[in-house]
Amino acid sequence: MRMRRTLLLTAAAVMLAGCGDRRLVLKVDVLSFMDPASRQADFGPIPTFPGGLWTGEIPLIDDQHVSMLQGLNDAADIQSVTLSFGALVIDFDGSGQDTVRIYMSDEQTAPRTTAPVLALGMTLSPGQTDTLRAVLGDDPRVASLFASKQMRVSVTTAVRGPLLGNSLSGRFKLTGIDGVVIAKSKGY
């Protein structure tokens, strides 16, 4: 593992030295660092309820520690980070609403004690599969996390059941959390 990091840092340094503007672009598949079993969850049946029955925030990925490229901050300054998020919500039956939140924090802070970096709302319809996609660019909080050696991630869902009709049931499945990091060689 140590040899792999050394080779990666050496390759990054060579690429930075050989680039005209000395920039390095890295794609970090954050989701691949997380337990595959935590990437999806079934919900329901959530019964009909006047005003809609709210399940509360349910963690899908609960406080996962993610090791980043160790030493990248020593070789380069993070210029920007663009975060992309993708998920599928499959509504088996009933209608309702959902709010998906992504929390990211530094190594010393529990993610859900901070404000979410992304919050996505959606309406669920019986028998439909919805694709969620969102992009977050140039958030200084996120950029500082990608410059560190570790970060922590939580993803929650908050399903609200139907006012009328059948009980709501379905499945939530994360399909991606990707960061595109643009860094510049230190000293230039």
Side-chain angles (χ1 to χ4, degrees), residues 39-95:
R39 296 182 193 174
Q40 71 179 21
D42 289 343
F43 55 86
I46 301 168
T48 58
F49 189 78
L53 185 60
W54 183 54
T55 61
E57 253 186 294
I58 301 167
L60 295 172
I61 294 176
D62 195 19
D63 198 5
Q64 293 285 313
H65 293 255
V66 178
S67 294
M68 303 305 293
L69 298 172
Q70 292 195 14
L72 179 60
N73 198 32
D74 297 335
D77 288 319
I78 303 292
Q79 301 284 295
S80 69
V81 175
T82 302
L83 187 69
S84 301
F85 170 79
L88 294 175
V89 181
I90 305 155
D91 186 335
F92 299 143
D93 195 16
S95 61

Side-chain angles (χ1 to χ4, degrees), residues 106-179:
D106 61 43
E107 195 174 358
Q108 290 79 32
T109 308
R112 290 178 59 197
T113 63
T114 66
V117 296
L118 279 174
L120 306 165
M122 62 182 301
T123 301
L124 304 170
S125 300
Q128 298 291 317
T129 298
D130 290 312
T131 302
L132 291 176
R133 295 207 190 281
V135 176
L136 174 70
D138 282 339
D139 183 329
R141 285 186 309 160
V142 174
S144 68
L145 295 173
F146 277 81
S148 63
K149 293 182 181 181
Q150 286 235 346
M151 75 166 100
R152 293 163 68 175
V153 178
S154 287
V155 178
T156 66
T157 185
V159 182
R160 286 168 297 288
L163 300 174
L164 303 167
N166 295 341
S167 295
L168 173 64
S169 62
R171 174 174 294 141
F172 181 90
K173 182 177 182 179
L174 288 168
T175 57
I177 301 175
D178 298 307

